[in-house]
Amino acid sequence: DFKGQSIGKLLLEDFELQVNQRSSLPYVYLITDKFGNEAVVNFYKKLQYVKDSEFSQSGNRVMLRFIKKIS
């Protein structure tokens, strides 16, 4: 019901702000599924997250790690 209302973007931006204010970490990263997840992958790319690596989890689940500089 809330798709297209920028709620996910606002939540992620607030998370980045909170990390930036409470730590000296220059980067944040997140992990998501590679396959069957195009909308989420494109969402992260749109918010300037960059694919950092790819790996397999148990059950041959292929994951993507995205990273973004926040400070």
Side-chain angles (χ1 to χ4, degrees):
D1 292 340
F2 298 100
K3 188 174 182 177
Q5 296 183 29
S6 298
I7 294 171
K9 177 183 174 186
L10 293 172
L11 288 169
L12 196 52
E13 287 174 345
D14 187 61
F15 167 73
E16 294 166 5
L17 180 64
Q18 296 297 322
V19 170
N20 195 19
Q21 290 176 343
R22 297 169 192 233
S23 74
S24 60
L25 299 173
Y27 297 94
V28 293
Y29 75 90
L30 53 86
I31 296 170
T32 191
D33 287 286
K34 178 177 181 177
F35 298 113
N37 205 22
E38 293 80 19
V40 172
V41 169
N42 289 333
F43 170 74
Y44 293 138
K45 287 180 178 179
K46 184 177 177 183
L47 295 176
Q48 287 100 39
Y49 281 80
V50 177
K51 181 181 153 189
D52 179 61
S53 61
E54 183 175 315
F55 62 95
S56 294
Q57 259 185 241
S58 62
N60 295 324
R61 186 174 171 191
V62 181
M63 308 299 288
L64 298 173
R65 179 179 182 217
F66 286 90
I67 191 165
K68 180 178 180 180
K69 184 168 177 56
I70 59 168
S71 62

